[in-house]
Amino acid sequence: MLHLILPSDLDALRELLDENPESLLDVAAVVNCLGTCGLCERRFVPVAPLVESLEPLYGDSKGLHALLRHNQYISLSEAICGFCHADPGLLNMFQKMKKL
């Protein structure tokens, strides 16, 4: 299935990532890295498992992480999406909920 989405050549993969890092959202669905936000229940991609899944193909986990981390559909957290993380009110509410 990955061959249908990702090029088999690593240089072509790097070019694809440099041009459009968001294309990896499609890959994330295939490699089952989707999460559900603990606040808004929006589906999102936790960046750590996505990077771990693709690191053997990409070969540069730090570079891949840097490409992906600012996409609002991808989150550094595995519990809260980038949309809620960007909203201080929602993030504060989430942190209070976790303390309960």
Side-chain angles (χ1 to χ4, degrees):
M1 187 77 180
L2 282 176
H3 278 312
L4 298 177
I5 297 172
L6 292 174
S8 56
D9 177 83
L10 290 180
D11 291 330
L13 174 61
R14 287 188 184 97
E15 285 179 25
L16 174 70
L17 293 173
D18 289 339
E19 289 174 16
N20 184 15
E22 292 183 11
S23 64
L24 285 183
L25 293 173
D26 296 332
V27 178
V30 173
V31 295
N32 200 26
C33 290
L34 289 177
T36 302
C37 181
L39 281 179
C40 68
E41 300 184 358
R42 182 185 280 115
R43 299 290 284 168
F44 72 99
V45 181
V47 74
L50 177 58
V51 170
E52 287 171 15
S53 297
L54 295 174
E55 199 272 334
L57 294 172
Y58 189 65
D60 176 13
S61 61
K62 289 183 181 178
L64 183 56
H65 193 277
L67 277 174
L68 294 170
R69 70 178 295 162
H70 300 295
N71 183 306
Q72 61 188 353
Y73 295 99
I74 296 178
S75 180
L76 298 175
S77 166
E78 293 191 27
I80 185 169
C81 75
F83 291 94
C84 288
H85 191 271
D87 184 322
L90 286 176
L91 185 56
N92 186 38
M93 182 176 73
F94 181 71
Q95 289 169 336
K96 287 179 180 175
M97 286 169 49
K98 284 189 78 171
K99 289 179 183 175
L100 294 176

